[in-house]
Amino acid sequence: MPSVFETAPNATAIPITFATKSTWEAITAGLPAPARQFAQANGFSAKPGKYLILPAADGQIAQVIFGIEDEGSKSRDLFRAGSLPGLLPAGIYRFANAPHDARLAALAFALGSYRFGRYRKADAADVRLVPPDGVDAAELVRISEAAFLARDLINTPSNDMGPAELEAAARDVAARFGASSVCVTGEELAKNFPLIHAVGMASSRAPRLIDFSWGDPAHPKVTLVGKGVCFDTGGLDLKPSSGMLLMKKDMGGAANVLALAQMVMDAKLKVRLRVLIPAVENAVAGNAFRPMDVFKSRKGLTVEIGNTDAEGRLILADALALADEEKPELLVDLGTLTGAARVALGPDLPPFYTNDETLAADVARLARQENDPLWRMPLWPPYDSWLDSKVANINNAPSGGFAGSITCALFLQRFVEAAKSWLHVDIYGWTPSAKPARPEGGECQAARAIYQLLSERYG
Ligand code: BES
Ligand code: MN
Ligand code: ZN
């Protein structure tokens, strides 16, 4: 997709004026009389999300007025401008005045121009924006292109996005920045990553662990792990059809880790980055793993399978154990792990978990700043015993089902010991119904906020 930003100087860009309920009167007063009349005849009152195209005397577009919320409004949406690419006719535009946050508005404009065009031609108009003064356009391009990568990977259906295709996508990201990748499969996977193998073995599309590193080995080690379940049928504890419908997006953690890695490498942050993606399909077949099976994990802990549908934490456990072995300064994992996270916080507000108070404060602050919302939930020690198994060291799916996102985080925590700091985010990776800057479908979640964190610390 070509960049939405028009970086060549452009004197004829069409101005977009942001108006709120309280600034509208002053703005109308400044308009030429016919334009004021036109706005009034159209009944335009600068309601948030509403727009008005004002014609010039020669019939060209003179300017656009776009309604946004008032400064103090509780429902203020900093991504409002993200609906403009879907509303405006083709052309080159510029912001005539400052919306609440010009950088976020320009980013929203870019994010809102995304179309998934793999299977049919996208019917979008060529709407472009001259980046507002003082905004780092290259940075916005970096972030939006990475977000588009995440969305494309998630939106691609499972028949075209199996473990092999996810591996190819990861290798492509790695190669573009000169990182070399390895991939563990077959006997070696079965021997060294028993949980990844157990989850993925029923599929005709072989499970694997993708592993690439980038950057100066002397820089601080930052390792990203992403859940790459290319389709989640639930395994033998099969999901009902309603729950299975969206499960092509179960590699959303991997997609977002790749997006984050791309931002980090593109910005040349001073880190030694490692990316680990366990890629599997949780399928049903005669050789599928079963409830009450017991496997010895890479870390040595034995794991009893309470439910084959709690597969994400299994594959992450082996990948986290590997990551932990080299004691990274920061270990981050992202995955579409639980329905319970959605019950608690809904699709747009993923919970994050960490015991590092400074990290928690930084993540919360930057999630808000970047409009990439995240909400801290606790690694509540009293629930840790819920993971007890009668026959093994740990069970992957505690009975009862209470606090499902927390118990998943506690399960993963058992596999992290040496990392200086660990951050786990239980994302949804999907926008169920379109909002400004967020078209329905695969979504980039947590990657933008974490990128800002890394860029603050290692930029
Ligand atoms: N991929 C699902 C979680 C999921 C479901 C995320 C729907 C977003 C939307 C995960 O593998 C899963 O099935 N989790 C189970 C765990 C349970 C069996 C302990 C869940 O959340 O029901
Ligand atoms: Mn599952
Ligand atoms: Zn899953």
Side-chain angles (χ1 to χ4, degrees), residues 227 232 239 247 249-250 307 309 311 336-339 428:
K227 170 176 170 180
D232 183 9
K239 286 184 183 298
M247 284 300 122
K249 77 168 178 71
D250 215 20
N307 193 315
D309 201 6
E311 85 297 338
T336 50
L337 284 153
T338 70
Y428 193 59

Side-chain angles (χ1 to χ4, degrees), residues 423-449:
L423 173 69
H424 158 61
V425 193
D426 192 346
I427 64 169
Y428 193 59
W430 190 264
T431 298
S433 62
K435 283 178 283 297
R438 296 181 165 102
E440 181 177 331
E443 191 51 287
C444 178
Q445 277 183 337
R448 289 188 297 107

Side-chain angles (χ1 to χ4, degrees), residues 191 250 346 396 456:
K191 183 164 167 275
D250 215 20
N396 79 328
E456 253 188 30

Side-chain angles (χ1 to χ4, degrees), residues 247-266:
M247 284 300 122
K248 70 170 182 179
K249 77 168 178 71
D250 215 20
M251 33 58 73
N256 275 286
V257 155
L258 289 176
L260 174 53
Q262 177 170 310
M263 290 185 238
V264 168
M265 296 188 290
D266 190 32

Side-chain angles (χ1 to χ4, degrees), residues 92-109:
I92 298 170
Y93 297 83
R94 67 178 171 86
F95 293 168
N97 61 351
H100 304 306
D101 181 327
R103 189 181 74 93
L104 282 186
L107 175 62
F109 202 98

